[in-house]
Amino acid sequence: MQTQTAAAKLDAEYAQANPTSAALFERQAKVVPSGITHSTRAFSPFPLFIDRCVGARKWDVDRHEYIDYWLGHGTNLLGHAHPVVIAAVQEQLGRGFHAGGETEIGCAWAELVCQLVPSAERVRFTTSGGEATQLALRVARAATGRSKIVKFQHHYHGWHDAVGIGIAPPWEVPYSPGIPRATLGETIVIPCNDVARLREALEQDPDVAAVILEPGGGYSDTVPIDPTFLAQLPAATHEYGAVLIFDEVVTGFRYAAGGVQEYFGVLPDLTALGKVVGGGIPSGAIAGRSELMNAFQDVESSGSGRRPVPHHGTWNANPLAAAAGVATLTLVSTGEPAQVATARADALRSGLNELFSDISLPAAAYGRASIWKTMLGERPRILDGDFSNYVSDAEQLSKGWGEIDTPLRQAMLLNGVDPMRGAGFTSCVHEASDIDLTIEAFGLSIARLRDEGILVV
Ligand code: PMP
């Protein structure tokens, strides 16, 4: 009872601090179902409406300033509105938004992707990360003449039908209603980090065209990958004639300039990219070995004897995304943005773990590179590299802060920080002082939740 009252008090304080967002939410809910435009943006009692974002900061319509860890759902490794990216987009705007043809800037963008991503010999651009995973699965199916795919529990690859299962338990229930049973029948879902289990699945079903995964770990690294497992994947997959697809939509250019594949030195056949690749303008890409990417070429030039995979899409390699992408990847290519963002996330992780220990809170901060996570509860063994208890550790990690998620974010917002529910991304423009302020905000927020009886550990 006391907890409910305290939660209501926090709700009321949040609502009182944000009258303009409340009014906009009410207005938007009349024309947009649930008043939100992305399921992850749902928030109680209402989400904030953002006025502008610059660097590592953003401001809402009620003029509050926040240290931002959403960074455009992980897109803005260089921070919001980087001046070099703005200049590049402005320059392109003056030359037209859509050429309806090939462009030199698009060519330069393709060259940069192939230069940075170790397994990329050829690339094709899409408009989103989800489109990239969809296209990668099609290429794998076309190349192998097979139909099924293997994906892993907790791994997310966009909202399209083929991968609309196995994202959260119960594993047999699709992520959304409206996905055809026949499509789901083509998708095999198994636990990750278990190469014997993968081999068994491939042995049992000779119709598997592709094995797809988030190579840093499931659902943007909430459940870490075992590097030993990752290293075994190319051989295990190829032994059964399947194509290995890394979904580096989140990790691409973030783990290192060349993504997870550079960080761990393990190469896939195909890579799906998104987010950072387009410097903040909607985009995605599929890249990989020429032999597979030649699937897009006609029969004679590919030499495969197979019909090509057509690839339409009004916005493919659109010049605005190309301009932002070239500006961003040119900066990324020095390696510095990934290094600085990682150093900031390292400082945040160690500062938070120190805080949790100082205040005797059973909680852990973890993650790799510039992706940081926190969770409430006893530290699972997986965080110390022991994958023997993988399935239940994974379940625990995916709960995050559980019921405390919403009050924690409300309290953090009232303290000037916007995390993605106890997690987030760092950019190369987050400063050391931002990290200190964030740790302080966590301390204040947790103290408040404890004082009010919302958090009882
Ligand atoms: N793959 C991963 C690993 C993702 O995290 C996401 C989006 N968060 C996607 C694919 C889909 O990308 P998009 O939202 O651009 O379609």
Side-chain angles (χ1 to χ4, degrees), residues 58-73:
K58 66 185 181 194
W59 290 262
D60 68 19
V61 287
D62 288 292
R63 296 171 185 266
H64 305 113
E65 178 175 331
Y66 302 98
I67 301 172
D68 184 34
Y69 290 100
W70 284 68
L71 293 177
H73 295 234

Side-chain angles (χ1 to χ4, degrees), residues 50-59 66-86 254 279-280 328 418 425-430:
I50 304 303
D51 180 42
R52 65 197 173 92
C53 325
V54 181
R57 306 274 166 153
K58 66 185 181 194
W59 290 262
Y66 302 98
I67 301 172
D68 184 34
Y69 290 100
W70 284 68
L71 293 177
H73 295 234
T75 294
N76 297 308
L77 175 63
L78 306 179
H80 294 287
H82 192 287
V84 173
V85 181
I86 291 183
R254 227 173 225 294
T328 300
D418 191 9
F425 302 96
T426 50
S427 72
C428 63
V429 295
H430 277 83

Side-chain angles (χ1 to χ4, degrees), residues 399 401-408 454:
K399 287 192 187 127
W401 289 67
E403 289 174 3
I404 306 296
D405 253 349
T406 297
L408 175 68
I454 295 173

